Amino acid sequence: EAQVTQNPRYLITVTGKKLTVTCSQNMNHEYMSWYRQDPGLGLRQIYYSMNVEVTDKGDVPEGYKVSRKEKRNFPLILESPSPNQTSLYFCASSLSATHRYEQYFGPGTRLTVT
Amino acid sequence: SQQGEEDPQALSIQEGENATMNCSYKTSINNLQWYRQNSGRGLVHLILIRSNEREKHSGRLRVTLDTSKKSSSLLITASRAADTASYFCATDPTGNQFYFGTGTSLTVIP
């Protein structure tokens, strides 16, 4: 089944404790992206990757890191999480830079930082 | 912010009625997309309309785009209870980044 998977789905952590949210897709997609969703603010793009080893900042990259060493994986790293990073996070992928518009979304990761 | 805005924020209709929601954005775009999100789930792509198109249909969905007014509308005809969800528009002014609106929450009452 073609899908985007995220792990963990739920995470409660404390301020300053480094964490990684994994994202994997099995569709051989080139374009991958991370979003956060907050009430009243909609989805905001954190980082995106056009292909392996190519990443760029989105609208709200502060406090986050990403890497794209393999085509299928695009982990989101919070080096020192803070309470304002409490949010619902989505990973998404699309076929290529040309077909990036139809994005497939993962199920989401609900992160709480206390 | 280049984020779009959907209007209304919430909409409640009876099953069988049509639902119309609007999206306004701030800068010129390459394309505009509409997505659906069921409560707490990931977004699902519904339809894409390119900046040189004015109207597009897909099943019970009809999307219009007016680039002079920087606005788009999504019409869902003959709504069903299963259409209950939040609907978001997304634009790509720079070509690589996406900007989503704040969403319209649609409730279809059986």
Side-chain angles (χ1 to χ4, degrees), chain A residues 69-86:
Chain A
K69 294 186 172 62
E70 305 166 283
K71 200 170 188 179
R72 63 183 296 129
N73 297 322
F74 191 46
L76 179 70
I77 303 157
L78 284 73
E79 294 268 2
S80 182
S82 62
N84 64 12
Q85 292 179 296
T86 292

Side-chain angles (χ1 to χ4, degrees), chain A residues 23-86:
Chain A
C23 172
S24 183
Q25 49 90 6
N26 62 0
M27 296 170 280
N28 202 36
H29 283 175
E30 290 183 353
Y31 184 90
M32 297 185 75
S33 184
W34 275 103
Y35 297 89
R36 62 177 289 173
Q37 185 175 26
D38 302 288
L41 296 177
L43 277 84
R44 292 178 293 168
Q45 194 170 30
I46 303 171
Y47 270 95
Y48 63 94
S49 170
M50 301 289 279
N51 211 326
V52 176
E53 302 292 1
V54 180
T55 62
D56 276 298
K57 295 177 181 178
D59 211 26
V60 287
E62 295 78 21
Y64 305 94
K65 284 177 57 177
V66 293
S67 68
R68 186 92 183 271
K69 294 186 172 62
E70 305 166 283
K71 200 170 188 179
R72 63 183 296 129
N73 297 322
F74 191 46
L76 179 70
I77 303 157
L78 284 73
E79 294 268 2
S80 182
S82 62
N84 64 12
Q85 292 179 296
T86 292

